Amino acid sequence: MELLRFSTFWCGAILFGSVLLHGGGGVMFTLRRLCKFCDVQATSCTGQGSCSVKCGITSICPHDEDVCVSIWRKKEDNVTFDTVCHNPAQKLYGLVLEDYNNSKCEMKERRGMGSEFFICSCSQDECNEHVFFNTNMDSQVIAVSLVPLLLMTVLVITSFYFYRVYRQRQAHSKRKKGSPLDFSDAHAIIIDDEGSDSSSTHANNLNHNTELLPIELDVQVGKGRFAEVYKAKLKQGSSVSEEQGFETVAVKIFPYEEYASWKNEKDIFSDRDLRHENVLHFLTAEERKVQRQYWLITAFHPGGNLQEFLTHHIIDWHDLWLLGGSLAQGVAHLHSEHTSCGQHKVAIAHRDIKSSNILVKSDLTCCLCDFGLALWLDNSLSVDELANSGQVGTARYMAPEVLESRINLENIESFKQADVYSMALVLWEVISRCSAIGEVKEYEPPFGNLREHPCVESMKDSVLRDRGRPEIPNSWINHTGIQTVCASIEECWDHDPEARLTAQCVAERFHEMEYLEKLSDRSDSEEKIPEEISVVDEK
Ligand code: ADE
């Protein structure tokens, strides 16, 4: 009603300014605001975009402080504009005019006014004639137009996520399909955690309806970081002993705490594509609940590991050729993306190649064992696996880039290149115990001048700072075959991972030396492998 009073007072007074006389003799001109001032009138404005209030009355506002105000309301079918002058220091309809300094009248919706209610205020003459609806509608329009974009983003992210899960499952099931534990007999022991992720608690994932193999443990033959290895006897009547002809086996026993290591090795071993004469033959895996242990049961090799073997034996060129060539073949098979039948297989990096992780078979060929740190080099490599894969293995055998934690995680070849470096050190160890080099010294590991378990820091000093490698004396290269192997070794332990040979190439070079092997005089072997080593356990 206050509005109405103003309206009557000024009605028809279309003026463009006012001159005010201030006391004290000075004349001061103050321009009062000119505003559209029609009080309430009907309008066809829909409350969207911009509208003209269509008010024919422009009034000089009654007070110096007044600004122009427009209000648009809609109650049922009744749509109106109010156009007034108002002092922003005072509330209007209980509302504070927040935008009165604006030059344009930008409508804002106010809720709880009993109708659809938009108000704007501004401080330019007649600025309330044209109003602009800055409604939530605008933001609604923006929001609505963003919805498809958001939906698309969500869709793309979810599809990508499910694609990754699908690829991981595929890789997982491919590995599992290849499990030697698929032997269709009822004694299959495995214990697998179908589609489980590595974070789930293992105890809940295991198949407990399994039959344990009748095994009698014998002496301990090895001890690693996570497990102990026992020679063991498979009692008569078990499927494995009858169908596969195993009587003596090796049992690798992990305490419950080392579940992760057992699981990794079991999973890797369960990949049928891994099977190769130069990879330890895996039989089965078990959870031994009573003893709170996890077991891996494999072929047993009385020759023990290569380090022990070299410690106790001097070999000849023929032995070197067998041991070295078979080692390279084993690593090449691991790294290969094809099986011997030419089918696709997932490459594996061993990541802990060293002479104590290589077994000597009775025919004096090698087989790789201890896959606790091995890694499938495929797309199923999770971000976690990659992130944790920077520096693993045994410091003495670590490639320079692994010591520096600078392995190129984006290229799966890097893992193979690091394995090849370690393999070169093992080949050097083998040569160091070969009678064909001349005087053979006591067995020493590579970098034997360092203490028993050198730490990463001292290995960095030797391998990175000093660019040191085990010595290849001149006397070694008098033998043509050894000269060739030494040349390969030097290429394999190159500082630059990219410059290293592949294991396949080394294997081929050994193969090409078959003629030398045939020419060799085997009488130079000082100490032959004891008789019992030729006991054949795999029938
Ligand atoms: N040491 C570790 N594993 C072995 C195995 N399978 N046979 C013999 N000795 C071993």
Side-chain angles (χ1 to χ4, degrees), residues 234-372:
L234 253 185
K235 291 191 201 137
Q236 289 299 307
S238 80
S239 59
V240 177
S241 74
E242 277 167 14
E243 288 164 25
Q244 300 205 14
F246 283 91
E247 285 163 18
T248 307
V249 290
V251 180
K252 189 168 179 180
I253 300 180
F254 299 73
Y256 255 24
E257 296 71 41
E258 302 302 346
Y259 169 79
S261 181
W262 170 80
K263 181 172 185 320
N264 193 56
E265 191 159 7
K266 164 188 78 93
D267 287 348
I268 295 270
F269 264 140
S270 301
D271 182 350
R272 179 172 288 172
D273 294 339
L274 181 65
R275 301 195 138 223
H276 189 266
E277 56 192 332
N278 303 119
V279 171
L280 178 61
H281 185 100
F282 172 64
L283 294 171
T284 196
E286 293 181 353
E287 182 194 13
R288 294 269 168 159
K289 278 198 198 136
V290 180
Q291 299 106 308
R292 292 176 52 80
Q293 289 171 346
Y294 293 108
W295 286 16
L296 291 178
I297 302 161
T298 66
F300 177 74
H301 296 291
N305 73 47
L306 184 60
Q307 185 174 48
E308 293 158 354
F309 183 79
L310 294 175
T311 306
H312 298 113
H313 300 93
I314 290 174
I315 57 170
D316 60 18
W317 162 250
H318 172 80
D319 304 335
L320 186 157
W321 182 79
L322 279 174
L323 290 168
S326 57
L327 166 62
Q329 271 177 36
V331 179
H333 172 71
L334 214 62
H335 289 180
S336 174
E337 283 168 7
H338 302 281
T339 63
S340 50
C341 319
Q343 281 180 331
H344 175 77
K345 90 178 237 308
V346 178
I348 292 174
H350 187 285
R351 302 200 298 169
D352 199 15
I353 292 180
K354 54 181 173 178
S355 49
S356 57
N357 281 343
I358 296 163
L359 296 172
V360 179
K361 300 210 288 186
S362 50
D363 61 356
L364 268 199
T365 58
C366 289
C367 69
L368 295 164
C369 67
D370 202 336
F371 291 87

Side-chain angles (χ1 to χ4, degrees), residues 368-379:
L368 295 164
C369 67
D370 202 336
F371 291 87
L373 293 175
L375 199 66
W376 272 294
L377 301 176
D378 68 352
N379 295 339

